C-alpha cells in the first residue's frame, strides 16, 4: 500500500474558517474535473484565527497535484 500525503492550505485571520470552507469547494471541483480518485478532503479549525483546507493524495499522485494546486505544506496522513 502506498503512503498517503495530506496536502494543506493554511488560512489566517478572523474569517479563516469561512475561507477554508470556500477553498475546499474549489478543491472538490478540481477533483471532479480531473476525475481524480481522491476521497479524503476537509477543513480543520485550529483556533479562531487559523483554519486549513486539505486533500489526501496517494504518493503517486502527490507531485502532479502539488505542482498544479500549490499547497502551502504537506505531511504524511495518519487516519
Amino acid at each position: 500500500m502506498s503512503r498517503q500525503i495530506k496536502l494543506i492550505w493554511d488560512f489566517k485571520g478572523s474569517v479563516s474558517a469561512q475561507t477554508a470552507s470556500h477553498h475546499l469547494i474549489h478543491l472538490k471541483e478540481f477533483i471532479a474535473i480531473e476525475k481524480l480518485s481522491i476521497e479524503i478532503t476537509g477543513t480543520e479549525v485550529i483556533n479562531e484565527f487559523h483554519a486549513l483546507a486539505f486533500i489526501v493524495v496517494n504518493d503517486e499522485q502527490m507531485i502532479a497535484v502539488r505542482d498544479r494546486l500549490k499547497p502551502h505544506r504537506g505531511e504524511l496522513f495518519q487516519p
Side-chain angles (χ1 to χ4, degrees), residues 8-77:
I8 301 167
W9 291 263
D10 291 292
F11 301 97
K12 307 272 176 107
S14 60
V15 294
S16 60
Q18 295 92 328
T19 305
S21 294
H22 181 77
H23 190 71
L24 182 60
I25 293 168
H26 294 294
L27 292 173
K28 289 180 177 181
E29 289 172 344
F30 175 82
I31 291 167
I33 289 168
E34 297 296 321
K35 297 179 175 80
L36 299 174
S37 60
I38 297 173
E39 298 178 8
I40 303 171
T41 64
T43 61
E44 294 177 22
V45 176
I46 308 303
N47 61 46
E48 65 180 302
F49 296 107
H50 182 197
L52 56 90
F54 68 88
I55 62 175
V56 176
V57 298
N58 292 325
D59 217 7
E60 300 82 30
Q61 299 171 303
M62 193 277 294
I63 292 175
V65 174
R66 179 201 67 194
D67 289 351
R68 296 214 34 218
L69 297 181
K70 311 275 193 257
H72 297 139
R73 59 193 173 99
E75 60 187 39
L76 286 177
F77 177 68

